[in-house]
């Protein structure tokens, strides 16, 4: 009954910017950490950015200084602002959330993925 819906992906030129959004809906007691992962063709899925409920963040080294993760707890939404995009950022980006539901049931949820393509 918990769903994550992503939006904001698309085609962008190198050096450009894209803002991804992911909204969680359903029977949610509390959302703990939220994050963005990506998977490029032929590669494993990797963590791009993570944000805890207290606002602390972590980034993979390759995006530090270019990407910013943020969250709006009132909207159960996490964002990923991606600036200075490079062709190597091309991947399917997946939203992830650690969610506490009724009766303190904890689950790890994933969005369907959104394609970000950065042209040279």
């Amino acid at each position: 009954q918990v769903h994550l819906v992503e939006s904001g992906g698309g085609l962008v030129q190198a050096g450009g910017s894209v803002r991804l959004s992911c909204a969680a809906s359903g029977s949610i007691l509390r959302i703990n950490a939220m994050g963005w992962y990506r998977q490029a063709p032929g590669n494993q899925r990797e963590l791009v950015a993570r944000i805890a409920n207290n606002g602390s963040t972590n980034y993979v080294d390759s995006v530090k200084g270019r990407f910013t993760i943020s969250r709006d707890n009132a909207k159960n939404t996490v964002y990923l602002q991606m600036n200075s995009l490079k062709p190597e950022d091309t991947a399917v980006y997946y939203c992830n959330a650690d969610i506490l539901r009724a009766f303190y049931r904890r689950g790890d949820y994933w969005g369907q993925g959104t394609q970000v393509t950065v042209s040279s």
Side-chain angles (χ1 to χ4, degrees):
Q1 294 181 350
V2 174
H3 302 280
L4 304 182
V5 180
E6 300 154 334
S7 62
L11 177 65
V12 63
Q13 193 170 2
S17 298
V18 169
R19 179 180 170 88
L20 304 182
S21 299
C22 174
S25 62
S27 299
I28 299 170
L29 180 62
R30 187 181 73 240
I31 300 179
N32 298 315
M34 303 185 78
W36 289 94
Y37 292 71
R38 68 186 180 187
Q39 187 168 20
N43 296 125
Q44 296 293 108
R45 187 174 300 187
E46 68 171 349
L47 174 67
V48 178
R50 176 185 178 275
I51 183 167
N53 196 39
N54 64 3
S56 65
T57 59
N58 295 287
Y59 299 91
V60 66
D61 287 344
S62 61
V63 309
K64 289 180 179 177
R66 300 189 297 120
F67 291 8
T68 302
I69 188 170
S70 61
R71 63 190 290 169
D72 185 335
N73 291 334
K75 297 180 179 179
N76 289 333
T77 300
V78 62
Y79 306 93
L80 185 66
Q81 179 68 46
M82 303 188 292
N83 299 324
S84 302
L85 284 163
K86 305 174 181 179
E88 50 263 42
D89 295 319
T90 296
V92 177
Y93 284 73
Y94 297 90
C95 177
N96 172 260
D98 178 6
I99 295 176
L100 194 65
R101 297 173 286 123
F103 301 102
Y104 293 91
R105 296 171 177 172
R106 185 177 179 180
D108 193 51
Y109 295 88
W110 293 88
Q112 78 286 351
T114 183
Q115 177 71 46
V116 175
T117 301
V118 184
S119 62
S120 302

